[in-house]
Amino acid sequence: MAEQESLEFGKADFVLMDAVTMPEFMANLRLRFEKGRIYTFIGEVVVSMNPYKNLNIYGRDTIEQYRGRELYERPPHLFAIADAAYKAMKRRSKDTCIVISGESGAGKTEASKYIMQYIAAITNPGQRAEVERVKNILLKSNCVLEAFGNAKTNRNDNSSRFGKYMDINFDFKGDPIGGHINNYLLEKSRVIVQQPGERSFHSFYQLLQGGSEQLLRSLHLQKDASAYSYICPGAQLKCSINDGAEFKAVADAMKVIGFKQEEIQTVYKIVAAILHLGNLKFSVDGDTPIIENSKAVSVIADLLSTKAELVEKALLFRTVATGRDVIDKQHTEQEATYGRDAFAKAIYERLFCWIVTHINDVIEVKNYDTTVHGKNTVIGVLDIYGFEIFDNNSFEQFCINYCNEKLQQLFIQLVLKQEQEEYQREGIPWKHIDYFNNQVIVDLVEQQHKGIIAILDDACMNVGKVTDEMFLEALNNKLGKHAHFSSRKLCATDKTLEFDRDFRIKHYAGDVIYSVTGFIDKNKDTLFQDFKRLMYNSSNPVLKMMWPEGKLSITEVTKRPLTAATLFKNSMIALVDNLALKEPYYVRCIKPNDKKSPQLFDEERCRHQVEYLGLLENVRVRRAGFAYRQTYEKFLHRYKMISEFTWPNHDLPSDKDAVRKLIECHGFQHDVAYGKTKLFIRTPRTLFTLEELHAKMLVRIVLFLQKVWRGTLARLRYRRTKAALAIVRHYRRHKVRAYLREVVRRFQGVRLLPDRGRSIPWPAPPKVLRRFEEALQDIYHRWRAAELIRSVPPEALPQLRAKVAAMELLKGHRADIGLQRAWQGNYIALKPDSPQSSGSFTPVANELKRKDKYMNILFSCHVRKVNRFNKVEDRAIFITDRHLYKMDPMKQYKVMKTIPLYNGEARSARHGHQPGAVQPARQEMHRLCGDQDQPIPTGFHQAPLRLRPLRAGQLTAPPLAPGLGSPSPHLGLTGIHREMLSCDLSGA
């Protein structure tokens, strides 16, 4: 049970009381209220006290504390009952409902909102957009329906003046996918008149206080509510509802739900039109009825999108069909006032029903196929008006209290009577508990031909003038001997009843005196057909939709409509039948006092509610009974995995024997009873233990199923992979063979072709042979190159090798390196009359040959040097097989520097070198050209380091090979490597 709460807060469950007596019950209720514990269990029923203040017990952290917990694992709370209903729906795929009952002002509407909030919070873990949309609309609908259906009463500032039952539909995963709202008996008489200290519906005050100046101007309204007759009595009353803020919240909620802007504007126009209707005043000019403030008629016509003359005619005349003739009958002043008020009530009721229908159209489950999406389960939440006893109780209070009688009867049937009958049916020992069965009161109201509603309908259908007094007389005649009915005529000494006006019914919640004044008119709910045709012919499509019966002609004969009381009775019977098909959970709301005080606990007031709610009898039934019962088949279906005797299937004679074996092997036999078809478990603790065992075993079963399934999937994947590999292997073999055959075919006889097959396109290889293709092409290119080289004359081979070496080294540095012509090498000797020279080059070359003993001249050309100071000078480069010479052509090719092409001692000291100095060729190249700070390109300066003394005809210095080309006239780089790289080889 709820053991988490200390005893200083009283008993968290009334079932735990030491003695089941009214004084102890009230003492525990008072203690918990004073300690701020407003919720208490009676088994699976939650008793809720209205705290009349905000409590911080509904946040996200509190929701997480109750999420997925069993009912008694946490302290009593609305969230516990909401979670229990949700789990029952999800685990057993069973429709459930939460019935919230109690007096007006006991906190039923707030309870329903918190339950909706909880269900919205714990669903949709995947954050699906459609589910979020449905949840948001379900929550926002409360705000809109409260604005148009709730009002301030003497008992409650936000009293529901209509009944609401909401079904929330869930998919097989437990996520909300839609819903449906049923509304019952809107108290539309509140539109035109309110009891002292009360207000009309919130929507009127919200529009006046929250609407912008522009909006009010367009509706011809002013902010002062006292200017309008219908709502004037409540204009100055204090109310905890912030009308201005609520107006904005309602407008935003309507947009979220899906109301179009023009539809929202129509809603405002209808509310404004009702306010203007209330200000119409009628008088009689002779025999002709007139409207004193006719300007208001034009305003009303504009708001209702019709013509002023049609509105005026509907208010002052009634069209009557007499045979084939149609005449306009004038209203008296009284009839015109009655017609105006009936029209105002009817148009507001139609507006409210249209809003509910619009919300249902948005949230209703569409295109749901149970064979595809799984079973569609439902949680119902009933928030309906509570039992009411006012100073003046009329037709509305009669219907409301009848509704509460029906709900109380359902509670008695499902919780008390059904419980006791089930024990007797199952053969479980049981001590009978007396309780008040209010079926007799329900029959008094709804029994056919004999009930109050049947007598009222008969009075309304009689031809001629039937008065309320005649209706009361009929009640006296037919119900005079009923124990729960009385009137002044039947009890002449009872001065609390007025002659020809009052009758009393002894309800389960107490005696209520009803005034028959207005019963006939309210039951007939007469609205002249002229108003229906007026609205049907409106140019506003929303208004036209609200009045479909207006299309009937005045001469068409229609069936007499059902009376208001009969319609309400039928809806209540359907509601109770619907609830009886679901697994019920109850919230019983109690108001601690009538002064809305968070500190005051009115003992007498609370005792009265405890008595008529039957809470003490409920405690007695729970104390004597069992906390849980389930059929043997369903019990086994859920818990058979926790016993080796029942998993996966048992071999015992019956399910009952299997359940007995399961219970005994876990040691629960002392806490259960075996019925004929069901197992009964006395304490929740046993159920909790069973659930824990079930949860632990479920993990093992899931792991086992996952293991088996994964093994199956692995074997399937292995077989598929093995087959795929065989296919791939054979396919690859086929592709390789096809490729090789194609290569052989294309290159057949390639040796005989002039280009040795260079123009033959290679076939596209399969992916597996790409590297093989590269190797094959490399072999082919080597063979083709060998074939081409074999055709070259032997004397041309040295120059060919030089060109190849030059191409490798100068690749990327020169666009053209003269491969298409013969290289001459000694270009200065070929052009002795070059403008850079001032003497003959040949004698100088011969002299150097005599001195340095070189055998071959490798290269010579004129170059232009740009030194570090950007000064341009003409130079000549002369390369033999032993040395590289830098010369000045302007001084008869005077040698300026000599560089040996191998490592060793320098031959000449007259060029600035000390004898014995050894300089690498690379460094000498830099110094030769005065370019020590800039490195020589890799492809150039590495080659001289490989030079060796040359023999005749030998070529081992590729970049300095004969015929590198004539010098370029435009040298933009400094150093010999730049001079070499810029040589013009375009003609080579």
Side-chain angles (χ1 to χ4, degrees):
M1 300 241 172
E3 298 168 344
Q4 291 78 6
E5 285 191 337
S6 170
L7 288 178
E8 67 172 304
F9 302 113
K11 303 289 196 323
D13 193 325
F14 285 112
V15 176
L16 300 176
M17 292 191 306
D18 298 328
V20 184
T21 61
M22 181 60 76
E24 185 162 342
F25 189 101
M26 295 305 300
N28 190 58
L29 191 65
R30 175 192 284 274
L31 177 60
R32 292 187 63 77
F33 176 74
E34 292 173 349
K35 293 289 185 178
R37 298 301 192 266
I38 64 171
Y39 299 117
T40 313
F41 283 136
I42 302 178
E44 295 181 351
V45 176
V46 172
V47 178
S48 170
M49 295 281 285
N50 191 340
Y52 289 118
K53 62 180 178 181
N54 293 323
L55 298 177
N56 187 25
I57 57 172
Y58 305 102
R60 187 73 203 185
D61 55 339
T62 308
I63 290 173
E64 291 302 322
Q65 291 176 17
Y66 286 87
R67 184 173 186 171
R69 299 296 188 94
E70 293 300 327
L71 193 63
Y72 296 99
E73 285 189 79
R74 301 294 301 161
H77 200 288
L78 283 174
F79 292 166
I81 207 77
D83 195 79
Y86 179 74
K87 285 204 301 288
M89 179 274 300
K90 194 173 180 181
R91 285 177 179 173
R92 302 194 290 273
S93 295
K94 184 175 178 61
D95 292 346
T96 61
C97 65
I98 301 173
V99 180
I100 307 170
S101 57
E103 282 194 13
S104 177
K108 298 184 302 300
T109 299
E110 290 299 310
S112 70
K113 287 195 288 188
Y114 288 131
I115 288 170
M116 291 283 295
Q117 171 190 322
Y118 180 82
I119 293 173
I122 65 172
T123 52
N124 193 30
Q127 297 298 308
R128 289 187 295 151
E130 175 61 17
V131 176
E132 284 299 313
R133 183 190 74 86
V134 171
K135 282 163 47 176
N136 203 18
I137 292 173
L138 288 172
L139 292 175
K140 293 292 185 183
S141 66
N142 281 328
C143 174
V144 177
L145 294 179
E146 283 184 19
F148 290 91
N150 288 21
K152 171 184 168 57
T153 67
N154 290 318
R155 296 186 172 189
N156 183 7
D157 281 1
N158 190 31
S159 176
S160 297
R161 307 320 300 164
F162 71 105
K164 180 181 72 172
Y165 174 73
M166 176 182 287
D167 268 335
I168 308 171
N169 297 84
F170 295 84
D171 61 12
F172 71 99
K173 299 188 299 300
D175 289 337
I177 54 174
H180 185 83
I181 298 171
N182 288 324
N183 61 295
Y184 302 99
L185 190 66
L186 178 73
E187 190 191 13
K188 58 184 179 181
S189 62
R190 185 170 291 270
V191 172
I192 63 171
V193 63
Q194 305 92 42
Q195 296 197 34
E198 298 189 352
R199 297 202 317 177
S200 186
F201 295 100
H202 295 322
S203 55
F204 295 106
Y205 307 96
Q206 289 176 5
L207 176 59
L208 296 180
Q209 296 301 317
S212 64
E213 293 292 341
Q214 180 182 358
L215 175 62
L216 294 179
R217 198 179 308 114
S218 67
L219 301 175
H220 309 280
L221 296 175
Q222 53 181 303
K223 284 187 173 293
D224 185 11
S226 61
Y228 303 98
S229 300
Y230 278 162
I231 63 171
C232 179
Q236 305 302 325
L237 293 177
K238 290 184 179 181
C239 183
S240 59
I241 304 295
N242 186 334
D243 295 317
E246 286 298 317
F247 175 81
K248 186 177 185 306
V250 171
D252 293 340
M254 293 179 78
K255 291 177 183 176
V256 170
I257 291 171
F259 286 86
K260 299 176 183 177
Q261 187 58 43
E262 55 268 24
E263 292 174 335
I264 297 175
Q265 194 67 27
T266 298
V267 171
Y268 297 151
K269 287 181 177 179
I270 292 174
V271 174
I274 292 171
L275 292 176
H276 289 297
L277 273 171
N279 285 352
L280 291 179
K281 289 183 171 45
F282 300 97
S283 60
V284 178
D285 184 8
D287 292 332
T288 305
I290 60 172
I291 299 174
E292 294 181 2
N293 46 347
S294 57
K295 184 179 178 182
V297 176
S298 301
V299 172
I300 294 168
D302 177 55
L303 294 173
L304 299 180
S305 302
T306 186
K307 297 178 180 178
E309 56 270 22
L310 296 179
V311 174
E312 185 172 358
K313 181 181 178 182
L315 289 168
L316 297 178
F317 296 89
R318 180 183 178 189
T319 305
V320 180
T322 57
R324 295 183 179 179
D325 298 329
V326 177
I327 61 172
D328 292 331
K329 179 184 176 184
Q330 292 183 353
H331 283 318
T332 64
E333 183 179 349
Q334 183 180 1
E335 289 173 338
T337 303
Y338 172 84
R340 176 203 65 183
D341 292 344
F343 181 44
K345 291 188 293 183
I347 198 172
Y348 191 85
E349 183 186 36
R350 300 288 178 108
L351 169 64
F352 185 78
C353 292
W354 174 80
I355 290 173
V356 173
T357 303
H358 194 291
I359 295 173
N360 284 334
D361 289 341
V362 175
I363 64 176
E364 203 145 19
V365 181
K366 303 176 182 68
N367 302 323
Y368 192 92
D369 186 354
T370 55
T371 59
V372 176
H373 304 102
K375 183 180 178 183
N376 177 351
T377 48
V378 167
I379 292 180
V381 180
L382 178 65
D383 170 23
I384 206 159
Y385 15 57
F387 196 88
E388 293 183 345
I389 305 176
F390 293 133
D391 294 336
N392 181 24
N393 300 289
S394 186
F395 178 77
E396 291 81 10
Q397 280 67 47
F398 171 76
C399 292
I400 288 171
N401 293 340
Y402 159 67
C403 165
N404 281 268
E405 291 284 358
K406 289 289 289 184
L407 294 178
Q408 177 65 9
Q409 179 61 21
L410 177 68
F411 177 76
I412 290 171
Q413 287 179 343
L414 295 180
V415 177
L416 304 178
K417 181 180 177 181
Q418 193 178 64
E419 183 111 355
Q420 296 191 142
E421 289 178 350
E422 184 175 37
Y423 291 141
Q424 294 171 1
R425 187 171 57 250
E426 291 290 328
I428 302 296
W430 176 258
K431 181 182 177 181
H432 183 77
I433 296 172
D434 291 328
Y435 58 86
F436 174 70
N437 189 342
N438 66 337
Q439 182 64 48
V440 62
I441 304 175
V442 174
D443 291 341
L444 170 66
V445 176
E446 71 177 18
Q447 192 173 17
Q448 288 188 353
H449 309 301
K450 298 178 181 179
I452 294 176
I453 292 178
I455 297 171
L456 179 60
D457 285 352
D458 289 341
C460 294
M461 293 177 186
N462 287 338
V463 179
K465 181 68 174 176
V466 180
T467 63
D468 296 320
E469 290 78 10
M470 295 169 65
F471 161 62
L472 180 58
E473 184 63 26
L475 290 178
N476 290 331
N477 293 335
K478 293 185 179 182
L479 302 175
K481 296 181 181 180
H482 200 286
H484 293 270
F485 177 86
S486 61
S487 68
R488 185 63 183 272
K489 181 178 180 180
L490 300 174
C491 302
T493 59
D494 190 350
K495 296 184 179 180
T496 58
L497 300 171
E498 288 286 337
F499 278 109
D500 297 330
R501 192 193 73 178
D502 298 339
F503 67 91
R504 180 192 290 116
I505 295 178
K506 292 183 179 181
H507 287 281
Y508 78 102
D511 296 354
V512 182
I513 298 174
Y514 297 100
S515 170
V516 296
T517 305
F519 260 63
I520 297 291
D521 288 339
K522 290 176 180 178
N523 189 46
K524 285 182 177 179
D525 197 19
T526 306
L527 179 67
F528 301 139
Q529 190 72 18
D530 303 74
F531 292 113
K532 298 177 183 179
R533 286 195 295 273
L534 175 69
M535 290 294 93
Y536 180 77
N537 293 320
S538 169
S539 60
N540 188 317
V542 176
L543 277 168
K544 188 181 183 72
M545 187 192 311
M546 292 180 189
W547 301 82
E549 66 271 40
K551 65 181 178 182
L552 297 175
S553 170
I554 188 63
T555 58
E556 291 185 63
V557 179
T558 59
K559 186 178 179 180
R560 184 192 296 270
L562 295 176
T563 62
T566 299
L567 288 172
F568 184 70
K569 180 190 73 173
N570 294 342
S571 66
M572 284 299 101
I573 293 172
L575 172 64
V576 169
D577 290 344
N578 184 15
L579 295 177
L581 296 174
K582 297 176 170 60
E583 185 172 322
Y585 292 84
Y586 287 92
V587 179
R588 311 293 263 171
C589 297
I590 295 176
K591 56 188 302 185
N593 57 79
D594 289 326
K595 297 181 180 179
K596 304 173 188 175
S597 169
Q599 285 88 27
L600 181 60
F601 183 87
D602 188 334
E603 182 94 16
E604 194 61 37
R605 191 79 181 79
C606 293
R607 180 185 289 108
H608 175 68
Q609 295 172 75
V610 170
E611 286 175 349
Y612 76 69
L613 288 173
L615 300 184
L616 209 58
E617 290 84 351
N618 195 359
V619 174
R620 292 194 181 102
V621 170
R622 287 294 175 182
R623 282 279 288 262
F626 296 83
Y628 176 82
R629 77 287 318 269
Q630 187 59 270
T631 61
Y632 294 120
E633 180 186 1
K634 290 185 177 179
F635 184 87
L636 272 181
H637 180 74
R638 181 161 185 81
Y639 298 111
K640 64 180 180 178
M641 73 277 296
I642 68 175
S643 172
E644 60 183 0
F645 300 105
T646 56
W647 177 258
N649 294 298
H650 68 85
D651 55 0
L652 296 169
S654 66
D655 287 345
K656 182 176 181 179
D657 294 329
V659 170
R660 189 187 299 272
K661 190 72 174 176
L662 186 152
I663 291 295
E664 289 175 353
C665 74
H666 288 286
F668 298 141
Q669 61 270 21
H670 302 298
D671 198 43
V672 301
Y674 300 97
K676 295 177 181 178
T677 63
K678 292 182 179 180
L679 172 72
F680 291 78
I681 299 176
R682 188 175 299 279
T683 63
R685 182 60 56 201
T686 299
L687 187 62
F688 297 158
T689 307
L690 287 170
E691 280 295 323
E692 290 172 3
L693 293 171
H694 171 268
K696 291 178 182 177
M697 188 57 66
L698 203 60
V699 174
R700 295 176 60 184
I701 292 173
V702 168
L703 289 175
F704 174 76
L705 293 175
Q706 286 179 341
K707 179 184 71 174
V708 173
W709 181 238
R710 285 171 178 168
T712 302
L713 290 179
R715 286 187 286 274
L716 289 173
R717 280 197 299 269
Y718 170 76
R719 285 196 286 269
R720 283 198 297 265
T721 304
K722 188 176 179 181
L725 287 174
I727 294 171
V728 168
R729 186 166 58 250
H730 285 81
Y731 181 72
R732 283 180 175 176
R733 190 176 300 164
H734 161 73
K735 295 292 287 185
V736 167
R737 289 175 177 173
Y739 173 74
L740 293 177
R741 282 196 294 268
E742 182 64 17
V743 170
V744 170
R745 186 189 67 79
R746 292 190 183 189
F747 287 89
Q748 188 76 32
V750 70
R751 192 184 299 273
L752 304 177
L753 297 177
D755 62 350
R756 303 294 194 279
R758 181 182 181 183
S759 59
I760 297 176
W762 286 75
K767 187 175 181 180
V768 71
L769 290 181
R770 285 179 184 173
R771 294 184 62 184
F772 171 77
E773 183 202 35
E774 294 174 1
L776 190 62
Q777 289 183 357
D778 187 52
I779 293 171
Y780 164 74
H781 290 316
R782 286 176 180 272
W783 170 82
R784 184 172 172 275
E787 290 293 311
L788 292 176
I789 291 172
R790 193 176 291 118
S791 66
V792 175
E795 60 271 14
L797 285 176
Q799 191 171 107
L800 179 63
R801 292 193 183 96
K803 289 184 178 182
V804 170
M807 183 182 69
E808 291 179 353
L809 292 172
L810 299 178
K811 188 191 308 182
H813 298 288
R814 293 282 305 256
D816 183 12
I817 52 178
L819 297 177
Q820 304 301 320
R821 65 178 179 82
W823 288 0
Q824 303 298 323
N826 194 358
Y827 291 102
I828 297 179
L830 295 175
K831 299 179 182 180
D833 54 347
S834 175
Q836 290 99 329
S837 63
S838 61
S840 176
F841 170 74
T842 305
V844 176
N846 292 335
E847 179 64 19
L848 290 174
K849 183 175 183 180
R850 185 183 64 78
K851 285 184 177 183
D852 295 335
K853 305 290 189 280
Y854 68 81
M855 298 179 66
N856 292 318
I857 297 174
L858 302 180
F859 182 76
S860 67
C861 72
H862 291 98
V863 298
R864 183 165 294 164
K865 174 186 175 182
V866 180
N867 63 16
R868 72 187 66 176
F869 304 108
N870 292 326
K871 183 177 179 182
V872 180
E873 297 175 339
D874 291 328
R875 295 287 184 267
I877 296 296
F878 179 43
I879 303 175
T880 69
D881 52 8
R882 296 181 67 85
H883 293 85
L884 185 150
Y885 302 96
K886 176 183 174 183
M887 300 178 174
D888 188 350
M890 305 306 296
K891 296 182 180 180
Q892 299 182 348
Y893 293 98
K894 177 183 176 181
V895 176
M896 299 180 67
K897 187 168 288 190
T898 301
I899 302 174
L901 296 183
Y902 58 91
N903 291 337
E905 295 184 356
R907 293 291 185 111
S908 177
R910 57 189 172 87
H911 299 305
H913 296 285
Q914 297 298 327
V918 179
Q919 296 289 342
R922 188 183 309 160
Q923 297 178 6
E924 289 298 324
M925 293 279 282
H926 285 297
R927 293 184 59 190
L928 174 66
C929 301
D931 192 25
Q932 294 96 336
D933 297 332
Q934 298 191 26
I936 298 174
T938 302
F940 182 83
H941 69 235
Q942 287 178 346
L945 297 178
R946 298 198 301 270
L947 294 178
R948 300 183 300 275
L950 302 177
R951 297 186 299 275
Q954 186 179 13
L955 178 64
T956 60
L960 305 178
L964 277 178
S966 57
S968 171
H970 306 291
L971 299 177
L973 303 174
T974 59
I976 187 169
H977 62 284
R978 299 189 183 184
E979 296 171 341
M980 294 295 293
L981 293 177
S982 62
C983 289
D984 184 9
L985 303 178
S986 60

